[in-house]
Amino acid sequence: MATMVSLIGLVNRIQRACTVLGDHGGEGGSLWEALPSVAVVGGQSSGKSSVLESIVGRDFLPRGSGIVTRRPLVLQLHKTGDGQAEYGEFLHAPRKKLTDFAAIRKEIQDETDRITGKSKQISNIPIHLSVYSPHVVNLTLIDLPGLTKVAVEGQPDSIVEDIENMVRSYVEKPNCIILAISPANQDIATSDAIKIAREVDPSGERTFGVLTKLDLMDQGTNAQDVLEGRAYRLQHPWVGIVNRSQADINKNVDMIAARRKEQEYFATSPDYGHLAHKMGSEYLAKLLSKHLESVIRARIPSIIALINKTIAELEAELDRLGRPIGSDSGAQLYTILEMCRAFDRVFKEHLDGGRPGGDRIYGVFDNQLPAALKKLPFDRHLSLQNVRKVISEADGYQPHLIAPEQGYRRLIDSSLSYFKGPADASVDAVHFILKELVRKSIAETEELKRFPTLQSDIAAAANEALERFRDDSRKTVLRLVEMESSYLTVEFFRKLPQEPDKGSNSSAPTIDRYGENHLRRIGSNVSAYVGMVCDALKNSIPKAIVHGQVREARRSLLNFFYAQVGSREKKQLSAMLDEDPGLMEKREAIAKRLELYKSARDEIDSVAWK
């Protein structure tokens, strides 16, 4: 039963969606033709409407004399859990749940009049109604206008032919199950429904015969010959129905009570008591539902084949047109943000290693920065001549008394200033890599290829953000260098050896503060301190650059752009997307169809293999 419910529910959804997408019944849509459907056929006043209401268990169809059904009604029944509320929903008014079935009747009439006017004209444009109730079985029925033999006042002379052609357009399809409604108080040989069913289904394999108005037959007569298949044999058993009388309708007798009354009629009837177990509207609904499930299962291979064929065609068309975008400002904004996110994903893949390019940033830290630091002219700057010069200039007109502290500081400060060059160059190198990654990411984002203006806008916004990140990062790394100059690590100097140079006379009472050995020691000490700082900066500069540029680019590259786009008007958003609105609508429709068919294929596959 679970599989049956799933299969019929799937077909219901696909049929409903096919109508939205233009592949609906009566129009020759190939997918619709592959899906089994049940068409209700009968002459005017044959009791068609009453049969449908009995199956649904609700009064919801327009009533009156003459032609009442003037447009096909595709009625999809969805069984819900016990205790859940009953309601109807029209395809032309989605998400509007109607719990008042009198309102459903009025909407059917109003929707009919919207197309045909208040005349007695007919239209082949179907009305789609879904009914959700715990009192129904999962089933789809198509109520067609009643066949007639003559045109009445207000109808064109061609009405007889028009109705028959409309009915034929449904029942001629090989996957259409025909529910032929005939009144029992008329000769079955004159039945309009049987006549047309015999023409399109001569073997009777697709036809279910329903005999109505059994309780209105002349006294002393019965329809046993028809119900038992002797008068006209079909592959499937005939089903007798007893509809509510006009008096019951006038008294508003509900359908549940009418069903019980129908069961009692057959159970107590001397003519039909032996057939009571396979008579009545409830039995008919279950019979049709079970048969529909078996037909669907038999058609699964052909349905899947058609769906696969359609998917391939739609994907090819969508590849040609590109992915869908909407025409309203909300959809356009969503599309732009989706494009930005697609670009951002590609950009992050470059940074994180999913795509090439991010490794070049590591190359700056592992090769370029160390090489630049190694090339700094410390040998020249800390040469004996330059040390003497700096020390002497730092002393001014009064030479230092104990240790040349000012000279030390000036040497260290001037040495550390050399680090600004490599630090600044590293910032720029990473900046240019990030800019190149932005350019490559835009080029590699498939979704963006249709939108040259949006590409330019994203590139401009990203590069503007990278400029800000570079400026902040430059300030940070230069501040790191300046911090090293602003406060020296005193522990380093306290740990310096205090003994005199090797080879000097330890008993000498004084040391020549301007001697070469002493100046070399000063240069050596400064070089060691600068080396220590160099090692620290070799680690801290990459950290600062990654924090200020790479991390920010990864986290918030387009944040400012998002804020700008969010405040733009529809005209500006359209200019960014710069596509033909007609093309956009076509693409959106194709994408919806593609989504439907893929979902249908997956669900049918999963159900079919249970």
Side-chain angles (χ1 to χ4, degrees):
M1 179 60 69
T3 302
M4 177 181 75
V5 170
S6 299
L7 280 175
I8 296 177
L10 274 175
V11 170
N12 281 356
R13 292 199 298 273
I14 296 171
Q15 287 174 327
R16 190 176 177 87
C18 282
T19 301
V20 176
L21 302 173
D23 294 334
H24 51 82
E27 304 257 337
S30 60
L31 182 55
W32 181 277
E33 290 177 0
L35 300 173
S37 57
V38 180
V40 184
V41 181
Q44 290 181 17
S45 303
S46 62
K48 274 193 315 92
S49 296
S50 295
V51 170
L52 287 173
E53 288 184 332
S54 295
I55 291 174
V56 175
R58 283 285 195 164
D59 293 306
F60 69 98
L61 293 173
R63 292 184 177 276
S65 59
I67 182 169
V68 178
T69 304
R70 292 181 285 127
R71 289 175 60 184
L73 174 66
V74 179
L75 176 62
Q76 294 185 320
L77 305 181
H78 304 265
K79 184 173 181 60
T80 59
D82 292 339
Q84 293 189 17
E86 296 178 277
Y87 66 91
E89 187 176 83
F90 287 94
L91 189 63
H92 62 265
R95 295 181 294 278
K96 184 180 179 182
K97 296 181 180 180
L98 299 175
T99 55
D100 182 357
F101 280 75
I104 292 177
R105 179 190 297 114
K106 184 176 185 304
E107 181 60 27
I108 292 173
Q109 186 64 58
D110 292 345
E111 179 62 17
T112 299
D113 291 344
R114 288 185 192 111
I115 300 298
T116 64
K118 293 189 178 296
S119 64
K120 295 183 179 179
Q121 302 288 336
I122 64 169
S123 169
N124 62 357
I125 301 174
I127 299 172
H128 288 258
L129 170 63
S130 291
V131 172
Y132 300 82
S133 169
H135 306 302
V136 301
V137 295
N138 290 281
L139 190 60
T140 297
L141 300 163
I142 305 170
D143 185 22
L144 298 169
L147 296 162
T148 184
K149 292 180 171 60
V150 293
V152 299
E153 186 177 352
Q155 293 179 333
D157 293 337
S158 63
I159 190 70
V160 176
E161 184 180 355
D162 292 342
I163 292 175
E164 184 171 332
N165 289 340
M166 183 193 301
V167 171
R168 286 182 180 277
S169 70
Y170 283 87
V171 299
E172 283 178 342
K173 294 180 174 63
N175 288 329
C176 178
I177 300 167
I178 304 168
L179 192 63
I181 310 293
S182 303
N185 56 356
Q186 294 180 14
D187 188 349
I188 195 68
T190 65
S191 168
D192 297 316
I194 291 298
K195 176 178 177 293
I196 198 169
R198 183 162 45 196
E199 291 174 5
V200 299
D201 179 32
S203 66
E205 294 179 357
R206 297 189 288 118
T207 303
F208 283 80
V210 176
L211 211 56
T212 62
K213 304 184 180 183
L214 289 166
D215 55 330
L216 300 182
M217 294 183 70
D218 292 336
Q219 191 171 3
T221 64
N222 61 55
Q224 287 184 11
D225 284 349
V226 177
L227 292 176
E228 293 177 353
R230 291 190 293 273
Y232 184 77
R233 179 172 295 279
L234 296 171
Q235 295 292 328
H236 306 285
W238 282 81
V239 178
I241 299 289
V242 174
N243 299 322
R244 289 181 302 168
S245 65
Q246 189 60 49
D248 290 338
I249 294 172
N250 294 338
K251 293 177 184 177
N252 292 321
V253 175
D254 67 73
M255 297 304 303
I256 303 301
R259 283 180 179 177
R260 287 197 298 268
K261 188 175 179 180
E262 181 187 44
Q263 291 170 355
E264 291 172 2
Y265 172 84
F266 285 112
T268 59
S269 169
D271 294 322
Y272 311 117
H274 64 294
L275 300 172
H277 63 286
K278 52 182 179 179
M279 295 288 123
S281 56
E282 281 192 85
Y283 174 78
L284 175 63
K286 292 176 182 177
L287 179 67
L288 288 174
S289 184
K290 183 178 179 181
H291 180 72
L292 185 59
E293 187 271 338
S294 65
V295 172
I296 292 170
R297 183 166 292 283
R299 298 289 188 274
I300 282 178
S302 61
I303 293 172
I304 291 292
L306 272 171
I307 289 176
N308 285 334
K309 177 176 177 288
T310 306
I311 286 174
E313 292 172 351
L314 291 175
E315 284 183 332
E317 181 68 7
L318 201 54
D319 287 340
R320 188 181 69 81
L321 296 177
R323 293 293 132 183
I325 56 175
S327 56
D328 61 282
S329 58
Q332 288 176 338
L333 177 59
Y334 176 81
T335 300
I336 291 171
L337 296 180
E338 281 294 296
M339 298 294 106
C340 292
R341 282 189 278 269
F343 154 76
D344 199 45
R345 284 194 296 270
V346 176
F347 180 70
K348 287 176 180 176
E349 288 175 5
H350 278 293
L351 289 179
D352 297 340
R355 297 171 186 255
D359 56 308
R360 292 171 55 200
I361 296 175
Y362 175 72
V364 171
F365 304 145
D366 195 50
N367 299 313
Q368 182 177 322
L369 177 61
L373 293 173
K374 191 174 183 180
K375 291 180 181 177
L376 292 177
F378 292 130
D379 289 346
R380 186 179 72 249
H381 186 65
L382 297 177
S383 65
L384 186 64
Q385 293 79 5
N386 197 56
V387 171
R388 177 183 287 112
K389 178 176 178 292
V390 172
I391 294 295
S392 299
E393 290 175 351
D395 284 344
Y397 72 93
Q398 293 192 27
H400 59 271
L401 300 178
I402 300 176
E405 181 168 333
Q406 291 302 320
Y408 261 110
R409 290 186 178 278
R410 188 169 292 184
L411 278 171
I412 291 172
D413 191 58
S414 58
S415 296
L416 295 183
S417 66
Y418 282 114
F419 289 128
K420 292 182 179 180
D424 204 15
S426 297
V427 169
D428 285 335
V430 171
H431 174 73
F432 288 124
I433 291 173
L434 292 174
K435 283 186 68 175
E436 176 62 17
L437 293 183
V438 165
R439 186 193 65 78
K440 290 181 66 176
S441 298
I442 289 175
E444 293 172 9
T445 304
E446 292 295 328
E447 296 89 335
L448 275 173
K449 290 184 177 179
R450 303 194 326 269
F451 309 113
T453 301
L454 184 56
Q455 288 184 43
S456 300
D457 289 345
I458 291 176
N463 289 332
E464 183 180 342
L466 291 179
E467 294 287 345
R468 292 197 304 273
F469 301 154
R470 177 175 66 173
D471 292 343
D472 291 343
S473 182
R474 177 177 285 118
K475 291 175 184 177
T476 300
V477 298
L478 294 181
R479 191 174 292 120
L480 286 175
V481 176
E482 291 167 358
M483 285 165 57
E484 294 291 345
S485 298
S486 64
Y487 189 78
L488 304 184
T489 306
V490 67
E491 288 297 320
F492 175 86
F493 294 96
R494 288 176 178 170
K495 293 178 181 179
L496 290 175
Q498 300 298 318
E499 67 273 17
D501 297 329
K502 291 181 180 180
S504 64
N505 186 359
S506 60
S507 62
T510 60
I511 298 176
D512 183 359
R513 299 295 180 183
Y514 290 96
E516 289 188 1
N517 287 341
H518 187 60
L519 294 176
R520 286 195 182 94
R521 177 172 292 279
I522 291 173
S524 176
N525 290 342
V526 171
S527 178
Y529 184 80
V530 169
M532 180 191 72
V533 173
C534 181
D535 290 338
L537 290 176
K538 195 184 299 182
N539 292 322
S540 60
I541 287 174
K543 294 177 188 293
I545 291 174
V546 169
H547 181 82
Q549 289 174 265
V550 181
R551 177 174 170 269
E552 286 303 305
R554 196 181 186 285
R555 289 175 54 189
S556 57
L557 183 63
L558 295 179
N559 279 10
F560 185 68
F561 181 66
Y562 291 150
Q564 285 183 319
V565 170
S567 62
R568 292 184 182 178
E569 300 294 332
K570 182 179 185 299
K571 186 176 181 181
Q572 294 172 302
L573 296 176
S574 298
M576 294 174 70
L577 294 172
D578 62 5
E579 276 202 319
D580 177 17
L583 188 64
M584 293 166 64
E585 291 177 8
K586 183 177 181 181
R587 186 182 298 112
E588 185 177 6
I590 292 174
K592 286 181 179 178
R593 294 176 69 186
L594 185 59
E595 182 181 0
L596 161 74
Y597 297 138
K598 285 184 175 180
S599 175
R601 179 183 61 186
D602 294 342
E603 292 189 59
I604 290 174
D605 275 341
S606 66
V607 171
W609 287 103
K610 286 182 180 179

